[in-house]
Amino acid sequence: MQTPGTAYGAWSILDTLLTPTGAGTPLIFKEPLGQAREVKVALSGLFGRFVARAYLERYFKLSIFAHLGSRIIDLDRRKKIKVKRLARGDLPDWIACASDLSSLTVAEAKGCHDVGGPAKALDRAWAQAKRIDVTVKDRKVSVKRIAIATRWGMAASGPSDAFLSARDPVDEGDPIEPEDQESLFIGLLRLHIANLIKPLGHAELAGALQRLTHQPFPQRLQDDLGRARALLDAAPVREVEKATALGGLIGGVVTRAGPVTEADVAPADQETLARLNLHPVFVGIDRDLIRAAIDAEPQAVRTRVIQTGRPDEFARPDRAGGWIIPIGEDRRIKGST
């Protein structure tokens, strides 16, 4: 959901690229990812990011991710909590944390197709992971730095073994006040939610959440809080038929062809999308969690994540209030009453 590919259903190419090897086995591609080097580099990096994200979620229990661009990112400008650049060059992919607002992490992912293995890619990823600090009032915060490199296996015309390598020490910083620690994680959560809902048709609400992180003036911050609450109240809330574990969700329907732009997709249309093999899913995030993030209530965030993380027969939670729900004949999305 974080790339322009979401508009084109780019993930669908995996169906034709991967060799079926069974559950719990390595990802093996049928053949090299293109002929030209620049194509191999681009696709290796794209799939490396995908696998690294899954690795961080599964083995480090990270579920809240803020994406880093080329500029310094504010997590709470009023409290001087930010990401500080230390050197020139590309920044790491993410700053992340666990669903209970702990385990602050800086992570960088690299994919490669080198015959010799992922060692050089891991060195490049580690150099990138060291290019930032997270600071509170110019004091460095303790973080775990993780560099991940993936070397792909090929069923034909290439190395056959797949490797995933990681380097993950803790970089100790200065102690900070508990209140500042909570504000840091709330800022990270606001950016996570904004990144998720923006391509799902909620760009205005996403922008309001981002403004909360970089507003330095108290009175304007109150105005921005009011605006964010109003936009959340106006956003269409969706529920899942026959689901007891799921409450009201803010999100949208995504198919292999990208997000559906219409605000309301009727049940009959949902069934049609499934019948046409467009693999429709509803991607959404718990509305009450968004409210807690806007209101900067850390304990309410933890409570909502626990309550919305229960398993469901059809839906898959992301341990950060988000859900991915296949829809069609057996499961439909409806407007909340």
Side-chain angles (χ1 to χ4, degrees):
M1 297 305 300
Q2 309 307 325
T3 70
T6 186
Y8 309 108
W11 61 88
S12 62
I13 64 176
L14 286 171
D15 292 343
T16 56
L17 289 178
L18 287 172
T19 297
T21 53
T25 58
L27 290 174
I28 303 296
F29 288 91
K30 293 179 180 179
E31 57 185 331
L33 301 173
Q35 302 302 318
R37 177 174 175 79
E38 59 268 22
V39 175
K40 293 180 182 179
V41 170
L43 289 178
S44 294
L46 175 65
F47 297 136
R49 184 182 174 93
F50 164 75
V51 169
R53 175 76 172 255
Y55 172 75
L56 293 170
E57 291 181 7
R58 175 172 294 186
Y59 295 104
F60 291 88
K61 309 304 179 187
L62 302 178
S63 54
I64 297 170
F65 291 80
H67 300 263
L68 298 179
S70 59
R71 62 179 182 82
I72 293 175
I73 288 183
D74 292 295
L75 298 173
D76 190 324
R77 183 176 291 185
R78 189 172 65 87
K79 295 186 177 182
K80 298 181 180 179
I81 303 173
K82 64 182 182 181
V83 175
K84 180 181 179 181
R85 178 189 286 274
L86 301 177
R88 296 180 63 182
D90 292 337
L91 297 184
D93 287 321
W94 304 288
I95 49 174
C97 70
S99 57
D100 62 353
L101 306 184
S102 67
S103 306
L104 185 64
T105 302
V106 172
E108 167 62 21
K110 296 288 186 189
C112 76
H113 55 276
D114 295 340
V115 175
K120 292 181 180 179
L122 184 64
D123 288 341
R124 294 194 300 270
W126 179 242
Q128 207 159 322
K130 294 192 297 181
R131 273 184 200 142
I132 64 166
D133 279 337
V134 180
T135 62
V136 175
K137 300 180 179 68
D138 293 325
R139 299 173 66 188
K140 176 182 170 182
V141 177
S142 295
V143 299
K144 176 181 276 292
R145 298 186 191 272
I146 301 181
I148 304 164
T150 313
R151 203 285 301 273
W152 306 111
M154 309 294 170
S157 303
S160 59
D161 295 326
F163 291 96
L164 188 148
S165 300
R167 189 177 300 171
D168 60 351
V170 174
D171 187 359
E172 297 290 348
D174 299 322
I176 63 173
E177 296 295 327
E179 180 182 351
D180 290 333
Q181 183 102 354
E182 300 281 40
S183 296
L184 187 161
F185 287 119
I186 287 293
L188 203 162
L189 177 62
R190 287 169 171 170
L191 293 176
H192 169 90
I193 295 171
N195 287 332
L196 177 65
I197 65 175
K198 183 177 180 179
L200 296 173
H202 302 278
E204 199 171 1
L205 178 57
L209 284 163
Q210 290 171 328
R211 282 193 297 274
L212 295 179
T213 66
H214 60 246
Q215 177 55 261
F217 304 111
Q219 184 55 54
R220 292 182 184 177
L221 178 61
Q222 292 304 311
D223 294 341
D224 288 342
L225 285 167
R227 176 64 173 161
R229 291 175 184 130
L231 287 168
L232 178 62
D233 290 340
V237 180
R238 304 299 180 210
E239 292 182 346
V240 184
E241 289 184 359
K242 304 176 184 179
T244 58
L246 302 178
L249 301 173
I250 304 293
V253 175
V254 181
T255 73
R256 300 178 86 161
V260 178
T261 56
E262 287 75 13
D264 187 18
V265 183
D269 294 330
Q270 296 174 31
E271 293 179 9
T272 299
L273 291 171
R275 190 171 64 253
L276 293 174
N277 199 31
L278 289 173
H279 292 247
V281 296
F282 182 83
V283 180
I285 191 163
D286 180 67
R287 181 183 182 278
D288 290 339
L289 179 70
I290 300 177
R291 171 73 69 178
I294 292 172
D295 293 341
E297 296 178 345
Q299 193 51 49
V301 167
R302 296 182 180 99
T303 300
R304 287 308 302 168
V305 167
I306 292 172
Q307 291 176 348
T308 59
R310 298 169 183 167
D312 179 84
E313 183 181 357
F314 292 93
R316 181 170 68 86
D318 67 357
R319 296 196 305 271
W323 290 88
I324 299 175
I325 306 159
I327 57 178
E329 182 178 351
D330 296 323
R331 185 62 61 92
R332 303 177 186 86
I333 300 297
K334 61 180 182 178
S336 174
T337 56

